[in-house]
Amino acid sequence: MSVPADHPFAAAVKPLVDAMGGELIAPDRARGDDVVLSWEGRPVVAVRLPHLSDSLDHILADLQRRHGVPLSALDRKTKQSVVRHLEQRGAFSVRHGVETVAGALGVSRFTVYNYLNREKSGE
């Protein structure tokens, strides 16, 4: 069975799945950790969620697309804003999250921690 891309429910959830970095698959191909979505009591599509580390890479790539330049080319204030956004999304709960973000922003881990601490102290 193929993914019914023309089904209105599959079309409706696709932007959300794309934003998460997930993948739409046919329900009969679903594994135990996939999420099967039904419409009117019938399985229509399954969602394969990304690994957390892949999610962070996906979020960073999306932020780069939104800003239109490499994240390392952003000014300090914008980088701080990016770090706040990433903290809200849980990026720093992922193993090596700080290192991954620091690399994408072109700053040190120490700088990322400073941005996080500045946010927490309300500066």
Side-chain angles (χ1 to χ4, degrees):
M1 175 181 192
S2 64
V3 178
D6 59 341
H7 192 284
F9 185 67
V13 299
K14 186 171 181 355
L16 176 62
V17 173
D18 289 346
M20 295 182 324
E23 176 186 3
L24 292 178
I25 58 172
D28 61 342
R29 291 186 42 227
R31 299 187 303 226
D33 56 344
D34 295 333
V35 180
V36 177
L37 304 175
S38 297
W39 179 266
E40 297 179 348
R42 213 180 89 237
V44 173
V45 66
V47 178
R48 181 154 297 152
L49 299 171
H51 290 93
L52 287 176
S53 60
D54 294 337
S55 292
L56 180 54
D57 291 339
H58 184 78
I59 292 168
L60 289 168
D62 182 55
L63 285 168
Q64 183 165 312
R65 275 191 301 277
R66 288 183 191 191
H67 287 283
V69 296
L71 297 177
S72 60
L74 299 174
D75 61 45
R76 182 177 56 85
K77 186 175 181 177
T78 307
K79 287 179 182 182
Q80 289 171 335
S81 174
V82 165
V83 168
R84 277 193 303 275
H85 176 78
L86 290 168
E87 183 177 31
Q88 291 170 350
R89 299 278 312 265
F92 303 111
S93 62
V94 176
R95 187 171 186 202
H96 302 297
V98 171
E99 293 86 348
T100 301
V101 170
L105 294 175
V107 299
S108 68
R109 293 180 322 174
F110 182 75
T111 299
V112 172
Y113 284 118
N114 280 340
Y115 291 169
L116 290 167
N117 289 334
R118 177 171 288 130
E119 178 64 24
K120 289 177 185 168
S121 68
E123 292 180 26

